[in-house]
Amino acid sequence: QVQLVESGGGLVQAGGSLSVSCAASGSIWTINIMGWYRQAPGNQRELVASITSSGSANYADPVKGRFTISRDYAKNTVYLQMNNLKPEDTAVYYCNADKIITTRGNRYLEVWGQGTLVTVSS
C-alpha cells in the first residue's frame, strides 16, 4: 500500500515563508511526477507545482517566483518552499504522486496525501 504523508504547514503572516514536505512510503521503485495541489474553501483543487522524475518543474502562474518545488529521489520525498506568502495562498495543500511502481511490481496511477493546512494572515 503506497501512502503519502505530508508535514509542515501552519499559520504565517503575509510576506513570510513556510515549507511543506511529503514522503511516499510503500516499497516504491519509481514515481513519475510528484506535485502539490491546493484547495481553498469554495474553490476547486488546483495545481500549485509539480516536478518530474527527470527534475523538470512546473509552476502555476500565481506562485511563480515565490514557490520552489524540489524532490529527493532517494527518499521519495517532495518539498515545497513557499516564500512571500499572501493571504490568497491560504488553502489545504495536497501532495500528489503520479504513476507509481513498487518493488513488487504493483502499479498505482495516482495517490493523494491527506492534506495540510496553510493559513496566511494579513
Side-chain angles (χ1 to χ4, degrees):
Q1 182 79 12
V2 173
Q3 290 185 324
L4 301 181
V5 178
E6 296 136 342
S7 59
L11 174 64
V12 66
Q13 287 188 332
S17 297
L18 209 57
S19 65
V20 290
S21 63
C22 168
S25 63
S27 301
I28 292 170
W29 183 34
T30 64
I31 301 174
N32 182 24
I33 299 173
M34 296 190 79
W36 289 96
Y37 289 70
R38 68 186 181 186
Q39 187 168 18
N43 290 357
Q44 290 187 332
R45 192 173 297 188
E46 61 179 8
L47 174 68
V48 176
S50 63
I51 184 166
T52 69
S53 56
S54 60
S56 178
N58 176 55
Y59 296 93
D61 286 342
V63 308
K64 283 181 179 176
R66 300 188 296 123
F67 290 13
T68 301
I69 190 169
S70 61
R71 186 169 166 178
D72 186 328
Y73 295 89
K75 296 181 179 179
N76 292 312
T77 300
V78 64
Y79 306 92
L80 185 68
Q81 176 65 41
M82 301 178 285
N83 297 328
N84 190 21
L85 282 159
K86 304 176 181 181
E88 51 264 42
D89 295 318
T90 295
V92 177
Y93 283 69
Y94 295 92
C95 178
N96 174 273
D98 172 76
K99 293 186 178 64
I100 303 164
I101 302 176
T102 70
T103 56
R104 299 180 181 181
N106 295 323
R107 295 172 181 262
Y108 298 79
L109 283 179
E110 189 174 56
V111 178
W112 290 91
Q114 79 283 0
T116 184
L117 178 62
V118 172
T119 304
V120 184
S121 62
S122 58

